[in-house]
Amino acid sequence: MASVGKIFRRTFLIGSAAIVGGVAFGAYYVTRPVANPLKPTKGETALSPFILIDQQGVTLFAPRAEMGQGVMTTWAALIAEELDVEMDDIRVLHGPAAAAYYNSALVGEGLPNKGYDISDFQHNLGEALGILGKTLSLQVTGGSTSMKDGFERMREAGATARETLKQAAADRLGVDRAQLKTEAGVVIAPDGTRIPYTELAEAAGRIDPPHAELRDPSDWRLLGQNLPRVDIVGKSTGTAEFGIDVRPEGLKFASVRMNPKLGGEMNGFDASAAQSMPGVEKVVDLGNGVAVVATNTWLAIQAVEAIDVDWADAPYPSETEDLFTTIAQAFDDAPNSTMRDDGDVDVLPDGATEITAEYRVPYLAHSTMEPMNATALFTGTKLDLWCGNQAPTLLLIRAANTANLDKDAVEIHTTYLGGGFGRRGELDFAEIATKVAMAMPNVPVQTTWSREEDMRHDFYRPGALARMRGAVKDGTAVLIDGKVAAQSCTQQAVERYTGMPGGGPDKVLVEGLFNQPYAVPNYRISGHIADLDVPVGFWRSVGNSHNGFFHETFMDEMAHAAGRDPLEFRLELAKGEHAPSAGVLQAVKDMSGWTGQTPDGVGRGVAMTYSFGTPVAQVIEVVDEDGTIRIAKAWIACDVGLALDPGTVKAQMVGGMIYGLSAAVTGEITFSDGEVEQYNFPDYDALRMHNAPLTEIRVLETNPRLGGVGEPGTPPSMPALGNALFDLTGERARTLPLINQFNLLV
């Protein structure tokens, strides 16, 4: 079978369908940055990695992972809008691991600017630097960049396909292309003749694609509308394939145990008890852990737990408080960065009132609903790896190195993700699955982590401390001097991915602090990196997740010190700095009927954070019900610049808020004797239906550039809840989780 057909088979959604007379299009073809992973043979054409039109119809090869955020639906809409096909007529597959699918928006996000004040030159520079994503093989889903990456690329792909198909029809009919129209997957001639795209695909493959103008947004049929999700039928009927659902013929099942003292070595083990259990087929020595291969997953989990292992100590302080002592010591060292230093914060303005506060947030787990897993088949000369993941090209490189194979001998099959939040951007679960499969050549093995193993072997959101100093005068903020100390998840991730130490100023460490759109004349933010070996990584909204809490809780404290309403205090400061940020504050004020006054037994708090190009404001309302505090209502306003699918934007804003509120209420990873103390959801819970707020969302579109939506809903939720509790009780929350201070309904 030809290679294009193999790509279909390897994405395990089409089966063994052969692609004959097909043509593929995309922005890739226009710019030709890298090799096309789709390799045609006789009778086939593949000009780009994105859109393939063949005798079966139109297929989108989406390079971003679908983990519930709706990316496949919106990418399909971008294509359908220009190609003139209906959403139901597009098949969507995840593309293979290939540099052609690099994320063009990711690198530009690292530029040292605040984002909301970016100039056209800086914006263009960021787009130009996007090409580095190709060089670095950054086929990555993360950073709320999927739409920024795909907005123009996918429309260009659809428009190019449309005009090429029209040219093929024009050549057949002997008319000028300008005389032809397209709709619903057909080319229409002036005399009413209708030629389906499928009949034109082979001829289109022999045409050099003409220049194609993108349609004016006023002509859009689909974009800007609430669209049905392309993944909803499969997920509703149980036919969608997640990593844990993969079932190649002859599959065996495995589970794994690694040192609970994270990063510690394994001195030795006794597997005799496990080996005597019926159904156990192999015990695998992983060097720094053990795995058991068995006839089913439950047996594998029971057997691997039966192994007596001698674990070495962790390379970090063994107790939670000792870890935070080390984090605090980072304040004594020179800052890694001072990314905002406006005015003179060392001099208190005459007549100003000074405010200081210290804050602390814990380590957090990703706690994805689908535990880490991967299925691998190793033959000695080839490796196939099936899993939900956020970085297939990086995964491919790691798997190839682990199996001692050339990269061309490794195939990554990306499934749906049962939650990612940054965790499935790591490579450890695939590396372990590869090692297990290497111990069972020619047998597919699915390695599934127990919930406990997953929870206790994460790359955690780092615990963090902040020391804030500010000043107010004449009812407004005149000074903010903030310092944050935490481990650097960026530097750790760089070293894990590349083997080289990360370095340089860490923007992620201070994001959500240095770049908040408030007109404060004296404003300095410093980031201090704590030298610890607790494994940390990217957690939904990353540095914004803790810095949003620090900044917006402190803004509340400053407002009260100034004798001002907290929302009006913010609104005045935002108006002078960033109109879209002021707009979302005004929106939640209007939506919630905010007056600054709440009746007895009710508390309201507000917070606004700018992250990933999108300002989001939230008002949270809590109520005291016979001594138990319930989160009752929430109002969210965001300004994404352009809402390509308002329904998806709203869903992501609510999901991001719930994720953040869950962390704020109960989320906490603690350590004892070097081990994580939380084992399962009873120890690390999330909000449920009974304690989640009724929520109203408003989506604004005044922002001059497209913003992200997957993560910006998370940062303001935590301080908004803390500020609401202060309004209700008079107690200020400076430490998370809040359940340790308040009697919240859980």
Side-chain angles (χ1 to χ4, degrees), residues 27-235:
Y28 159 76
Y29 180 78
V30 177
T31 57
R32 297 180 186 272
V34 287
N36 188 344
L38 309 181
K39 304 298 183 183
T41 60
K42 185 176 181 180
E44 301 175 347
T45 306
L47 302 182
S48 98
F50 294 120
I51 304 174
L52 189 140
I53 302 174
D54 62 4
Q55 293 173 358
Q56 298 180 63
V58 179
T59 300
L60 161 64
F61 287 93
R64 302 294 163 257
E66 178 59 75
M67 49 188 172
Q69 81 280 37
V71 61
M72 285 187 170
T73 300
T74 308
W75 275 55
L78 291 167
I79 288 170
E81 191 69 76
E82 295 288 346
L83 185 53
D84 277 336
V85 295
E86 299 304 320
M87 291 288 290
D88 290 344
D89 296 329
I90 298 180
R91 297 165 293 176
V92 184
L93 308 179
H94 193 288
Y101 298 116
Y102 70 94
N103 188 326
S104 65
L106 199 60
V107 175
E109 295 297 303
L111 290 174
N113 54 58
K114 294 193 285 289
Y116 67 85
D117 64 344
I118 190 171
S119 66
D120 289 340
F121 174 80
Q122 290 173 314
H123 175 72
N124 294 336
L125 176 61
E127 289 193 332
L129 288 174
I131 199 68
L132 291 175
K134 171 202 69 173
T135 306
L136 300 172
S137 293
L138 291 180
Q139 184 185 356
V140 173
T141 304
S144 298
T145 57
S146 290
M147 290 307 107
K148 296 179 188 178
D149 170 47
F151 179 54
E152 290 191 2
R153 294 169 88 185
M154 291 301 96
R155 288 189 298 143
E156 289 170 355
T160 301
R162 179 190 73 231
E163 293 305 309
T164 307
L165 291 161
K166 285 169 64 178
Q167 187 61 55
D171 294 344
R172 177 190 292 192
L173 298 171
V175 300
D176 189 89
R177 174 164 53 96
Q179 297 179 268
L180 303 176
K181 298 188 301 181
T182 56
E183 72 173 24
V186 300
V187 178
I188 306 172
D191 64 0
T193 300
R194 302 170 69 89
I195 309 175
Y197 290 169
T198 53
E199 293 183 14
L200 296 167
E202 188 168 4
R206 297 190 290 268
I207 296 173
D208 189 20
H211 174 71
E213 293 288 342
L214 297 179
R215 287 179 169 153
D216 189 273
S218 63
D219 296 326
W220 286 348
R221 302 176 300 116
L222 301 170
L223 297 175
Q225 308 298 317
N226 296 335
L227 299 172
R229 292 275 294 264
V230 301
D231 54 334
I232 202 69
V233 173
K235 291 178 177 178

Side-chain angles (χ1 to χ4, degrees), residues 577-653:
E577 189 76 5
H578 188 229
S581 295
V584 297
L585 282 164
Q586 184 65 52
V588 292
K589 178 183 178 181
D590 296 341
M591 293 161 64
S592 65
W594 180 283
T595 64
Q597 303 296 320
T598 50
D600 290 344
V602 177
R604 282 186 171 186
V606 63
M608 188 273 290
T609 59
Y610 173 90
S611 63
F612 306 97
T614 300
V616 180
Q618 295 179 11
V619 169
I620 302 291
E621 180 177 287
V622 296
V623 294
D624 187 326
E625 297 178 333
D626 297 324
T628 299
I629 300 172
R630 179 171 61 88
I631 306 172
K633 297 179 183 178
W635 294 267
I636 307 172
C638 62
D639 195 330
V640 299
L642 181 61
L644 297 174
D645 184 333
T648 292
V649 174
K650 290 180 178 180
Q652 285 301 287
M653 287 298 150

